[in-house]
Structure formats: C-alpha cells, structure tokens
Amino acid sequence: MNVPNLLSLFRILLIPLLMVIFYLPYNWVHWATAGIFFVAGVTDWLDGYLARKLNQGTAFGAFIDPVADKLMVVIVLVLLVERIQDVWFTIPAIVIIWRELLISALREWMAELGKRTSVAVSNMGKVKTTLQMVAIFVLLLASSNQYPLLTDIGIVTLYIAAILTLWSMVIYLRAAAPEFKLSNQSD
C-alpha cells in the first residue's frame, strides 16, 4: 500500500460522507458537497502525479483509481438528477453514466486480450474528465432556486462534457474495432 493508492481509497471513503451531507437540511450543504467533490478531484490528480513522480504505480492502483473516479462521478450525477429533476439535466447525466459503464467494460475486455494499452486514456478523455468535474462541482455548488444562472452554466458545461464523452467513446471503440473483427472471426 502506497500514498497514491491510499488517496484513491480516501476518495472512495469520501462518497458516503458526500451522500450524507447532500441530504442534510442545511443551507451550507451545497458548499460542503462541492468542497468534498473538489477534494476528491484534487486527490485524483495528486494520486496520479505521485504514482508517476515517485514511480509507485501498481496493479492495484491501476484498478482502484478509475473505480474511485467512476464511483464518485456516477453517484454524484445520480444525486444531482434527484435534486435538479429536469429532463435536460438527466439526458447528459445518462449519457455520461452509460459511456462510463461501456468503456469500463471495453477496457476490461481489452485487458483480458492483453490489449489494454489500445484503449488507454487519451487527451480527449482528460479534457472530457476536466469539463465533467467542473460541471459537477458547479452543479453541487449551485442551488437551483438560489443560483439559477450557475445551474444553467453547470448544465451547459455538462452537455459539452457529454458530447466529448461520446466523442472519446468513438475513439476508444475505433481503437478496439480490430479486436471486434478478430473476435467475430473466432466465434
């Protein structure tokens, strides 16, 4: 167990805390949940940085880091769907969750074939993730009734992230396409 892996596990432990605070009946919950999500984002960046800088990359870290990221994003999007209750918010949230599940399954399948590097995170994926995190942070911070403009900015940013999500999904599927063809030939 090393510091990068502990930071990933810490991110997972932040999820129940964020969920409990999200449902508290206080005015400060928006600030607190946005703060927790911000800390999770910083630890996500920090664990990757430290793993590379200190040469502490591990197989467990390669597994737990994306799990922690996806759990945080998916759970917070579900919480926000409940809070915002608007089809125009639900659409990009579903697109992002759907893509995360599909690409996770694709990466697992490619890893079984020994081709995981074919679907490694691209620069497009990093831009998508950044916009997604910014959108979620803004939406956690905003209360629909108190700051409707901030909510609108968060939703627009989430749409841009959802579009990039689909674009990066196409990139990953194209990278895996030769394996689909080979798999179909052997069936």
Side-chain angles (χ1 to χ4, degrees):
M1 195 55 67
N2 58 32
V3 172
N5 293 347
L6 289 172
L7 287 171
S8 292
L9 291 172
F10 175 68
R11 255 191 339 278
I12 292 172
L13 293 175
L14 286 176
I15 295 169
L17 176 65
L18 187 144
M19 291 172 61
V20 167
I21 291 173
F22 185 88
Y23 287 108
L24 292 176
Y26 301 113
N27 292 334
W28 50 263
V29 298
H30 301 289
W31 291 97
T33 55
I36 292 167
F37 191 78
F38 180 80
V39 168
V42 169
T43 62
D44 180 26
W45 172 83
L46 187 59
D47 72 14
Y49 173 78
L50 290 175
R52 287 185 299 278
K53 184 81 171 166
L54 303 174
N55 197 26
Q56 291 186 346
T58 63
F60 179 73
F63 159 73
I64 200 67
D65 178 58
V67 168
D69 299 344
K70 286 168 188 17
L71 282 173
M72 180 64 81
V73 167
V74 168
I75 289 169
V76 172
L77 283 174
V78 169
L79 292 172
L80 287 169
V81 163
E82 180 184 5
R83 177 192 289 165
I84 296 172
Q85 294 187 5
D86 184 321
V87 69
W88 297 112
F89 173 74
T90 303
I91 291 169
I94 287 172
V95 166
I96 289 169
I97 292 169
W98 174 73
R99 181 266 188 199
E100 293 298 343
L101 293 171
L102 180 71
I103 296 304
S104 292
L106 177 68
R107 284 191 177 128
E108 185 175 330
W109 180 65
M110 293 295 284
E112 285 181 22
L113 298 176
K115 307 274 183 154
R116 183 171 176 89
T117 56
S118 301
V119 287
V121 176
S122 67
N123 286 335
M124 172 63 63
K126 291 178 183 180
V127 171
K128 178 267 313 174
T129 299
T130 301
L131 281 174
Q132 190 174 279
M133 297 304 219
V134 168
I136 292 170
F137 173 79
V138 167
L139 289 163
L140 282 170
L141 191 59
S143 168
S144 298
N145 8 353
Q146 284 184 309
Y147 306 105
L149 181 61
L150 198 54
T151 300
D152 291 344
I153 290 169
I155 291 172
V156 168
T157 307
L158 196 67
Y159 265 94
I160 296 167
I163 290 165
L164 293 178
T165 289
L166 292 174
W167 187 0
S168 69
M169 181 185 73
V170 168
I171 292 169
Y172 292 132
L173 290 173
R174 280 189 178 161
E179 298 307 319
F180 293 140
K181 291 175 185 171
L182 289 174
S183 176
N184 285 335
Q185 291 172 355
S186 65
D187 288 344

